Structures are given as structure tokens and as C-alpha cells.
Amino acid sequence: MKEELIRRFTSYVQIDTQSNEDSATCPSTPGQLVLLNKLVDELKEIGMEEVTIDENGYVFATLPANTDKDVPTIGFLAHVDTAPDFTGKNVKPQIIENYDGKDILLNREENIVLSPKEFPSLNLYVGHTLITTDGTTLLGADDKAGVAEIMTAMNYLLRHPEIKHGKVRVAFTPDEEIGRGPHKFDVKKFNAKYAYTMDGGRIGELQYESFNAASAKITIKGNNIHPGTAKGKMVNSMKIAMELHRMLPEKQAPEYTDGYEGFYHLLSFQGNVEKTELYYIIRDFDRQEFENKKKTLSSIVERLRETYGRDNILLDMKDQYYNMREKIEPVKEIVDIAQQAMKNLGIEPIISPIRGGTDGSQLSYMGLPTPNIFTGGENFHGKYEYISVDNMIKATNVIIEIIKLFEQRA
């Protein structure tokens, strides 16, 4: 299993699949289709049935039941795209066998070092086989680790027919990192009662609570005049933008919050005197607090419109997804089964909220309750990203154990 996981994962991460929010296509980038088509071939090769890829790049496949019991159909999902935050082009994965707990030199030329002094989580992985970046790209464990683990689990079950199981569906999806993963997901065609995303981080993570999420694009129009004759005429849109940002609660930002605390996050600020655009995301676990945060931002915009003109400040705010807890709690047994699967394998479950979202956040509201399970990665979305192969093996075994438990409990 170790060799298979390394082989699959390292081949997947070398395909550039960064998604692009500015693209209107689905998938948003052509590299995602390259990997999705590769997965179609691999699914057929290992013997999966009903392998399909639709016009939007969604890959579905079936592991047929081999039991006479009436077992609910369950699904496992992972996304193929990587985050736009950091380059995913020309990923060169490095394999560190039997990690010794010391600094890892990622890139000699740039003197980029992955150090336990800066990242104490490395101390958890002494003796593990690690896969790192070369310090110039992200790794792509989010979520190609999940892809590799699902593929390896399905291959294992196909090679071990003595393990009884119900029907299992798998899906590989595009554009999760830009919030569009489930937008064209055909829940009816997927035809599973429950599902799990393999899209978490550290070993033991089991998540069924996510943020409520919204995006807000604010466009501010100014008036550019030669600075030598600007008195009484110039309106600097960047200064209005800075004024707006200062009016938000200072401590309600990612760098000041954790646990169940929500935030406003300024993702981008682009502009000049004539025009400035700000892009925020708004997050909160509590639905009422989420609505309050949106109202706060809207009221700030309204106050500035009164000062600078209603047509000069535009707000485009949209809900992205909601806390999936509301849809999963009525079927909490699916969380209990995942928790039991981990305990059976000697893994301590860590039930915690996702300070973000997964495809499951939206799918749960589309009628497919979908908690999230760890993959084994750390430091996602950046050059210090790494993953433990030992914990990838454990994640793969969790998939297999969940499938076994559903059959045993039927």
C-alpha cells in the first residue's frame, strides 16, 4: 500500500491543476481535465464499474456490492484542483524516508528550509516517510492525497473480495478551491445516501461543522486629477478603501481568531486613484452572527455612500455555502461510524470544526450529507506543505474500515 500511495500521489501532484476564479469554464483550468481523464483510465484499469466523466469534468465510478445485505450506498469524494494562492506548476515532490526530526533542506539554491523550530508539528513525524515540496511550489496534498487514498482503497477492496461491502460510489471533482466544487455535481446521478470527503489535514480529523461563508466584492470609484491642481477636485479611491477597511472590527480577522470565532478577510486590494477593488470573504459558524457580519459590512458601505456618492461605491455580496452541521446532525450515525472506524484502527478521532469549507458543505445542503476525514497533510497551500505517507496509509485504511462497518451494521 505504501508504494502504491507514493506512486499515485507523486504522479498526481506533478500535473498542474490550479483552479482559477477568473475563468468561467468548468473545470476552470485545462490541467484539471488532464488529471481527471487520467483518473478515468486508472479507475477502469483497477476494475471499477460505471466509470464516467461528464462535460464538466466530474468523474464518477462504482465499486459494486459483494454482499446480500441491504447496505446503504455510500460515497467518497476528493477534489483534483489546487489552491490559486501559490503556484502548483512544476511540482517536484521530495521523499524523506525515516524522518530524523531535524531541519529539511527543501531548496539549496534558495536556502529554503522546513524546520521544526518554525513548524513544531514536524516533531509528530519522526520516523515517518514524508513527502515535501522543493520549496518553489505548493505540494498539492490538498487534495491529491485524498484522490490517492480513495484510489488505493478501491484497488485494495477489488483485490480482496473476501471483505464484504455494499455499493460504494467515488467522485473526483474540479474547482473546490474556488468554491465551485459542487456547483455542477449531479447528486441524483451519484445516487449515494451518504458520503465522505477525504479532504482534511492531520491524522484523526473528523469534521462535520463548517463555516457559513460569503464573498464580498467592493468597487470604489474616485476622480483622478493632476496632483498640482487637485485641490477640491481629486477623490482618491484607495483612501476611501482604506477608510472602509478601518471601519471593520479590527480583531475579527483570521490572524486574531480561532476555534469557533468568525472573521472578515481581505483577500485582495487592487487599485489606483481612479478605481479600487477590494475582495473580502466573510466567515462564521453561527448563522445569526454570519448574518450580522454581512449587515455590518453593508451598513459601512451605506455610510460611505452617503459621504462619497451612492454611485461611487458598489457592493456585490454573495453567500457561498453554509454550516453543514445542520444537515449532518439528523444523520449523526455517519459521523459515529467514521469515529468508530478510526478507533478500530487505533486512531484517536479529533472532532473539530473546519475553519473553512469542503465540497461537503454544499453537498450536504444538496441532499448528500457529507462529513470530512483527514488525509495526513500539513501546511496546505504553500511551499512548506508536506504529508506523512504513514498517515496516508492510515487514511486509506479508514476508508476501508468505514465501508466494512456499514456492511456489518446493515
Side-chain angles (χ1 to χ4, degrees), residues 52-292:
T52 62
I53 182 168
D54 69 14
E55 66 274 15
N56 297 303
Y58 290 75
V59 173
F60 290 174
T62 298
L63 175 70
N66 66 357
T67 179
D68 294 331
K69 291 184 178 180
D70 184 17
V71 183
T73 300
I74 61 172
F76 291 88
L77 298 86
H79 63 91
V80 300
D81 64 314
T82 60
D85 311 34
F86 201 79
T87 182
K89 187 176 183 180
N90 297 323
V91 173
K92 297 180 178 66
Q94 301 187 110
I95 299 173
I96 314 295
E97 294 281 3
N98 194 23
Y99 172 56
D100 61 8
K102 299 178 181 178
D103 287 358
I104 300 172
L105 183 62
L106 299 179
N107 192 293
R108 188 175 299 277
E109 289 182 5
E110 301 291 335
N111 193 31
I112 299 172
V113 177
L114 177 61
S115 171
K117 295 176 184 176
E118 188 175 0
F119 300 102
S121 62
L122 278 166
N123 294 312
L124 300 170
Y125 301 104
V126 175
H128 287 223
T129 297
L130 302 183
I131 303 178
T132 73
T133 75
D134 72 346
T136 63
T137 68
L138 50 67
L139 179 61
D142 182 10
D143 186 29
K144 291 170 184 175
V147 176
E149 289 156 5
I150 292 169
M151 288 293 304
T152 303
M154 294 304 106
N155 192 31
Y156 185 89
L157 289 167
L158 284 161
R159 301 294 171 266
H160 292 271
E162 71 277 9
I163 299 174
K164 297 302 178 184
H165 56 80
K167 182 178 179 179
V168 179
R169 293 281 275 164
V170 301
F172 301 121
T173 63
D175 292 334
E176 188 269 356
E177 295 290 358
I178 57 174
R180 301 182 201 162
H183 285 192
K184 298 182 183 294
F185 190 101
D186 191 334
V187 170
K188 185 176 180 181
K189 179 182 175 184
F190 190 60
N191 197 26
K193 188 172 183 179
Y194 313 116
Y196 298 88
T197 47
M198 300 301 297
D199 194 16
R202 187 172 297 181
I203 185 169
E205 285 186 353
L206 174 56
Q207 300 156 323
Y208 67 98
E209 296 180 78
S210 62
F211 277 136
N212 296 290
S215 65
K217 180 181 179 181
I218 302 168
T219 303
I220 301 172
K221 300 174 185 177
N223 185 28
N224 192 25
I225 301 290
H226 188 285
T229 58
K231 185 175 181 180
K233 303 172 188 174
M234 178 183 285
V235 178
N236 192 324
S237 72
M238 291 182 290
K239 289 186 176 181
I240 300 172
M242 289 187 287
E243 182 180 352
L244 183 152
H245 186 71
R246 285 195 300 267
M247 294 169 75
L248 288 168
E250 180 185 0
K251 298 296 183 181
Q252 293 185 30
E255 59 267 37
Y256 300 112
T257 54
D258 62 7
Y260 281 91
E261 297 171 322
F263 56 74
Y264 305 86
H265 180 33
L266 179 59
L267 276 176
S268 67
F269 183 115
Q270 296 178 327
N272 50 36
V273 173
E274 188 72 19
K275 181 181 177 182
T276 296
E277 292 182 340
L278 302 94
Y279 185 76
Y280 287 92
I281 57 172
I282 302 168
R283 301 289 189 263
D284 208 292
F285 288 97
D286 183 86
R287 188 64 171 265
Q288 188 56 55
E289 287 300 316
F290 173 62
E291 296 298 332
N292 290 342

Side-chain angles (χ1 to χ4, degrees), residues 323-357:
N323 190 338
M324 60 187 178
R325 177 175 181 169
E326 182 180 327
K327 299 298 181 182
I328 293 177
E329 279 197 328
V331 289
K332 182 93 171 342
E333 62 268 22
I334 63 176
V335 176
D336 297 338
I337 286 174
Q339 190 173 8
Q340 187 61 53
M342 291 185 193
K343 289 180 178 178
N344 289 355
L345 297 168
I347 300 167
E348 183 62 35
I350 304 170
I351 297 181
S352 60
I354 307 169
R355 287 188 60 80

Side-chain angles (χ1 to χ4, degrees), residues 279-324:
Y279 185 76
Y280 287 92
I281 57 172
I282 302 168
R283 301 289 189 263
D284 208 292
F285 288 97
D286 183 86
R287 188 64 171 265
Q288 188 56 55
E289 287 300 316
F290 173 62
E291 296 298 332
N292 290 342
K293 281 182 168 59
K294 292 193 294 180
K295 288 177 182 177
T296 295
L297 182 58
S298 295
S299 66
I300 289 171
V301 169
E302 283 301 314
R303 286 163 61 187
L304 291 171
R305 279 174 168 168
E306 291 174 6
T307 303
Y308 298 103
R310 299 196 61 80
D311 294 336
N312 292 328
I313 304 177
L314 307 176
L315 171 62
D316 180 15
M317 186 157 54
K318 297 175 181 176
D319 287 358
Q320 295 172 304
Y321 56 84
Y322 303 108
N323 190 338
M324 60 187 178

